[in-house]
Structure formats: structure tokens, C-alpha cells
Amino acid sequence: MCKQILAVLGVAALTAGCAVKPENPVDYVTYRDEPLVKQVEDGMSKQQVLTIGGTPSTQINRSDKPGSCNNYVLNREGHQQVYYVSFDANGQVDSKGFMTCEQHSANREAL
């Protein structure tokens, strides 16, 4: 009985975590050692991010609030994965993750 309760709680916790940030955890495990994933943190300046990650694939102005967003393409063993780094109006990182800026913006607008 106790094992069943723990299993249900574990599934509920995983489901709740997915609802907050819909990303594939395999992406994180695969790309966790890439400099953008490993070193970029909330609050960093845009220049610091450019120093770490280089020139982004694309840069857009955010539609959901003031600021901008950089799209990058991570490459590992022949596989590619998109990764975004979003900046607030002051040019500081306010979010990042394994999707495009456009997908991130659409997710924020849907909430």
C-alpha cells in the first residue's frame, strides 16, 4: 500500500513539474554540458551570454513583453536541438530553455 501511494505521488510530482515548464528532460541530460546550458544563469547580461554562446541563430524582439530573445541551435553527436535565452527590458536573462523564442512566447501567452 505504501509503495502504491509513493508511486502515485511520484507520478503527480512529475506531472506537476511538466505543467510548469514543458520541456523534455532528455534534452537537458543530453545537452547539460553545453556552455549555454551549463553556464548561462538568470540575471546575466546579454553581453555575457554572447561571450559564452556566440552569435545566436536569430534574435527577435519579444511580443509578450519588453525585451528580446536569442535562438541558438545546439549540436551534439550529429543531433541538433533549439535553445532560447530570453532577456528582459534591461538586457538581463530572465528565462532559457529547450524551445525556440517563438514557442516560449506562445506558451507564455497561452497562460
Side-chain angles (χ1 to χ4, degrees), residues 17-52:
C18 290
V20 173
K21 196 168 187 178
E23 294 181 355
N24 185 346
V26 174
D27 293 336
Y28 178 76
V29 171
T30 303
Y31 297 95
R32 69 179 176 251
D33 291 328
E34 294 295 318
L36 278 169
V37 178
K38 190 174 187 174
Q39 297 174 16
V40 172
E41 298 179 7
D42 287 355
M44 281 185 158
S45 72
K46 187 181 285 191
Q47 186 56 50
Q48 288 174 305
V49 173
L50 291 173
T51 299
I52 293 169

Side-chain angles (χ1 to χ4, degrees), residues 1 8 11 34 59 69 81 87 107 109:
M1 178 71 172
V8 169
V11 169
E34 294 295 318
Q59 180 178 331
C69 188
Q81 173 62 48
F87 303 94
N107 287 347
E109 289 174 8

Side-chain angles (χ1 to χ4, degrees), residues 50-102:
L50 291 173
T51 299
I52 293 169
T55 304
S57 299
T58 60
Q59 180 178 331
I60 64 166
N61 290 323
R62 297 191 326 196
S63 61
D64 57 332
K65 61 183 182 177
S68 63
C69 188
N70 290 352
N71 281 313
Y72 289 91
V73 178
L74 305 176
N75 293 293
R76 184 166 184 92
E77 298 175 4
H79 299 282
Q80 294 185 332
Q81 173 62 48
V82 294
Y83 192 78
Y84 80 94
V85 180
S86 181
F87 303 94
D88 62 19
N90 297 319
Q92 295 182 308
V93 175
D94 63 1
S95 65
K96 57 193 181 337
F98 293 98
M99 61 183 76
T100 66
C101 294
E102 295 82 0

